[in-house]
Amino acid sequence: MPYSTQEKKQALVRVRRIGGQLDALAQALEQEVDCGAVLQQIAAIRGAVNGLMGEVLESHLRAGFASRRTAAVDAAALEQTITLLRTYLK
């Protein structure tokens, strides 16, 4: 869950954008648009959802580790974990 007001606002903007993409996909399916265009839209939605997941996961990790952070090593480990997860979610 995004913890700050700004993170929450950004997450809601992303969710609304994804909703718009889903509406466009439904419309494309109803209009029997070419499969290539439909697959491209599905891939874009998947990317948007993965981006949202990355942001929420990063917020969660930062909040969870913030109270436990005792040294720069812990901060570096957190950054490395976030980088690895972002790479995985792409």
Side-chain angles (χ1 to χ4, degrees), residues 18-34 37-38 41-42 45:
I18 292 168
Q21 288 177 307
L22 287 169
D23 290 342
L25 175 61
Q27 187 176 27
L29 291 171
E30 288 172 357
Q31 295 175 356
E32 298 180 6
V33 172
D34 179 58
V38 169
Q41 184 67 25
I42 292 169
I45 293 167

Side-chain angles (χ1 to χ4, degrees), residues 21-64:
Q21 288 177 307
L22 287 169
D23 290 342
L25 175 61
Q27 187 176 27
L29 291 171
E30 288 172 357
Q31 295 175 356
E32 298 180 6
V33 172
D34 179 58
C35 275
V38 169
L39 289 169
Q40 187 175 13
Q41 184 67 25
I42 292 169
I45 293 167
R46 181 179 62 186
V49 169
N50 283 345
L52 175 62
M53 179 181 285
E55 290 293 322
V56 172
L57 185 55
E58 180 178 343
S59 176
H60 174 71
L61 287 171
R62 286 188 188 283

Side-chain angles (χ1 to χ4, degrees), residues 5-24:
T5 303
Q6 183 63 25
E7 288 174 338
K8 193 178 294 187
K9 184 184 262 188
Q10 289 174 341
L12 286 170
V13 167
R14 281 178 174 257
V15 167
R16 289 183 184 111
R17 189 177 304 132
I18 292 168
Q21 288 177 307
L22 287 169
D23 290 342

